Amino acid sequence: MMRTSNLPAFEPLDPVGIDDLLTPDEKAVRASVRHLCAERVDPFVADWFERGVVDDVRGLAEELGALGLLGMHLEGYGCAGMSATEYGLACLELEASDSGIRSLVSVQGSLAMYAIWRWGSEEHKLEWLPRMASGEAIGCFGLTEPDIGSDPGSMRTRARRDGSDWVLDGRKMWITNGSVADVAVVWAQTDEGVRGFVVPTTTPGFSAPEIKHKQSLRASVTSELVLDGVRLPDAAALPEVRGLRGPLSCLNEARFGIVWGSMGAARSSLAAALSYAGERIQFGRPVSGFQLTQQKLVEMNLEYTKGVLLALHLGRRKDAGTLRPEQVSLGKLNNVREALEICRTARTVLGANGISLEYPVIRHMNNLESVLTYEGTVEMHTLVVGQAMTGQAAFR
Ligand code: FAD
């Protein structure tokens, strides 16, 4: 007979004990982010989503910075220098609160700060990174344009030389943090190929009108960037990179965070469905007692558990320096897709209440529609993995 008395308890939201694979430091990071989210985000985020406004976004950025969450996996210049796995766990907790809050952190740390940290001059790093790490300065990352998304090599924003200056003209679209940013990392075509520019948002000719009417990522600022003859000194260009390698390297960092973060939205929806199903009485018993509901809960948990294991495996590879971009694509493709499916299933478990912002599920579900598209669409990541498997690029 199997003896179970000395076995650890079965944890419904960690059914195979993935926690055993985490170090005490990793668990401590997770606990501190979870605590911040419980205090500073969870009580307010449904209201922010409903109104399409994040109250006191600067104050929130400073609190995230105080905890070391901004540029947390970067070394030096006031950054926390944590591991990739710790960064991933933080993203999971942030996105369990809301994808918009994780986006604030991802764009700040993995896109804007990473671009400066990896490809900037020493002057760029000293000027911006400590203030961005503390949350005093907010950054954004302008790659997408109104007519150019998946194919950034065709971008139309142009930077031309004028004496020793650069002059930028063009439009960027769907830019997270744009209207609240102090600094924008803007990618533009030049005679030397695509280059990145560090643009203080007070520069004449720069404006960032907010995009309204979004039904997804409403607790996140999304903006257009307008560049009308933005004149910058020669030193504004990121000196260390030419070509799409620059922006793609940053996107790879942010995608890694999404591999983890999407599982946070999934966990929150699974937890809501499990709790609701235990309390909702129909036909004289909790709906959790019906076989069809149990099947949904188990299927959700299977995909959640596999997704977290995949994220953790990719995190260990990233910490070991062996993580390939195609593997990040595979993780982003799988985990966002499955997280969205988990949210949709959770929504059915909550019945009509599932469409209410009283519960987190519909908010996560709507948010994940953006996450499925940004940082490379689900189709593009499919084709990246397909190319890696077959040696043939199907997207050109
Ligand atoms: P398109 O590229 O026009 O694609 C349309 C459809 O065609 C998609 O289904 C796509 O997969 C498919 N498709 C395109 N090419 C192919 C192909 N070769 N084969 C098969 N299918 C193909 N961008 C930034 O630069 N910075 C940001 O901070 C930022 N934040 C964002 C925040 C939000 C809320 C959203 C929604 C987007 C954000 N984006 C940002 C933009 C995002 O990265 C783009 O939306 C994304 O890259 C896709 O581009 P697109 O929307 O123009 O779609």
Side-chain angles (χ1 to χ4, degrees):
M1 202 173 81
M2 195 168 72
R3 291 167 50 161
T4 56
S5 55
N6 294 329
L7 294 177
F10 181 84
E11 297 291 340
L13 295 179
D14 185 13
V16 297
I18 298 174
D19 260 24
D20 295 354
L21 304 175
L22 302 180
T23 66
D25 280 353
E26 289 164 352
K27 289 180 188 169
V29 169
R30 180 177 65 181
S32 61
V33 181
R34 197 176 282 183
H35 179 72
L36 176 79
C37 289
E39 297 272 310
R40 192 58 177 81
V41 181
D42 295 344
F44 315 107
V45 71
D47 177 52
W48 294 344
F49 186 97
E50 187 147 37
R51 290 188 288 119
V53 173
V54 180
D55 288 337
D56 188 21
V57 67
R58 290 197 159 269
L60 178 60
E62 285 178 16
E63 288 179 54
L64 293 164
L67 210 57
L69 299 180
L70 302 178
M72 68 183 282
H73 61 309
L74 306 180
E75 294 277 352
Y77 306 97
C79 303
M82 292 194 212
S83 71
T85 304
E86 288 167 336
Y87 171 57
L89 286 163
C91 287
L92 191 152
E93 293 306 321
L94 291 163
E95 198 148 355
S97 289
D98 193 86
S99 304
I101 306 306
R102 199 268 308 138
S103 298
L104 167 68
V105 170
S106 289
V107 169
Q108 176 86 347
S110 288
L111 293 180
M113 290 176 74
Y114 182 81
I116 294 171
W117 182 84
R118 179 74 180 81
W119 306 117
S121 65
E122 191 60 19
E123 291 70 31
H124 292 145
K125 294 176 193 179
L126 290 170
E127 181 177 1
W128 289 108
L129 292 181
R131 291 168 58 208
M132 293 173 84
S134 70
E136 184 196 334
I138 294 179
C140 69
F141 182 91
L143 180 64
T144 305
E145 301 185 351
D147 297 322
I148 303 293
S150 302
D151 179 21
S154 302
M155 72 175 68
R156 294 176 188 163
T157 298
R158 224 184 140 74
R160 63 180 165 81
R161 293 264 190 197
D162 186 26
S164 62
D165 290 345
W166 288 99
V167 179
L168 269 65
D169 284 288
R171 298 279 183 281
K172 296 290 176 181
M173 195 65 182
W174 299 110
I175 307 305
T176 303
N177 298 349
S179 314
V180 293
D182 302 281
V183 61
V185 172
V186 174
W187 300 92
Q189 297 281 7
T190 74
D191 290 341
E192 309 152 16
V194 169
R195 292 199 64 179
F197 295 86
V198 179
V199 185
T201 55
T202 50
T203 311
F206 180 98
S207 58
E210 190 168 351
I211 295 174
K212 300 288 187 188
H213 311 301
K214 288 181 300 170
Q215 296 302 313
S216 173
L217 279 193
R218 290 181 55 77
S220 171
V221 175
T222 316
S223 316
E224 184 179 357
L225 304 186
V226 180
L227 302 134
D228 271 339
V230 172
R231 182 173 289 276
L232 299 166
D234 185 43
L238 295 173
E240 301 295 339
V241 72
R242 306 278 190 283
L244 283 181
R245 193 166 67 97
L248 295 184
S249 68
C250 306
L251 292 172
N252 199 47
E253 293 296 303
R255 285 167 188 157
F256 171 77
I258 294 172
V259 175
W260 285 88
S262 53
M263 285 297 113
R267 186 190 73 201
S268 170
S269 296
L270 171 58
L274 183 59
S275 153
Y276 186 90
E279 289 166 10
R280 178 73 175 177
I281 310 292
Q282 292 294 295
F283 299 96
R285 57 194 288 206
V287 296
S288 61
F290 297 121
Q291 290 181 355
L292 291 178
T293 307
Q294 289 192 8
Q295 184 179 28
K296 288 178 187 177
L297 294 170
V298 172
E299 294 291 345
M300 284 191 268
N301 215 345
L302 288 178
E303 293 309 324
Y304 167 67
T305 300
K306 288 189 274 183
V308 174
L309 279 171
L310 176 58
L312 183 57
H313 175 64
L314 297 185
R316 297 291 183 225
R317 283 190 79 103
K318 187 161 169 56
D319 282 324
T322 56
L323 183 62
R324 296 187 57 85
E326 302 88 339
Q327 294 166 337
V328 179
S329 284
L330 191 147
K332 198 240 175 196
L333 165 63
N334 182 77
N335 283 11
V336 181
R337 188 171 69 184
E338 295 307 326
L340 189 51
E341 202 50 43
I342 288 168
C343 293
R344 286 178 179 147
T345 306
R347 216 287 304 148
T348 70
V349 172
L350 271 73
N353 281 317
I355 70 159
S356 168
L357 284 176
E358 293 286 316
Y359 298 88
V361 177
I362 191 82
R363 182 167 49 80
H364 287 310
M365 195 172 115
N366 280 10
N367 284 340
L368 287 172
E369 292 291 348
S370 288
V371 181
L372 195 71
T373 284
Y374 73 18
E375 310 282 352
T377 66
V378 69
E379 293 82 9
M380 293 311 295
H381 287 299
T382 301
L383 297 179
V384 167
V385 177
Q387 181 184 16
M389 289 174 67
T390 65
Q392 299 183 67
F395 49 89
R396 289 184 212 288

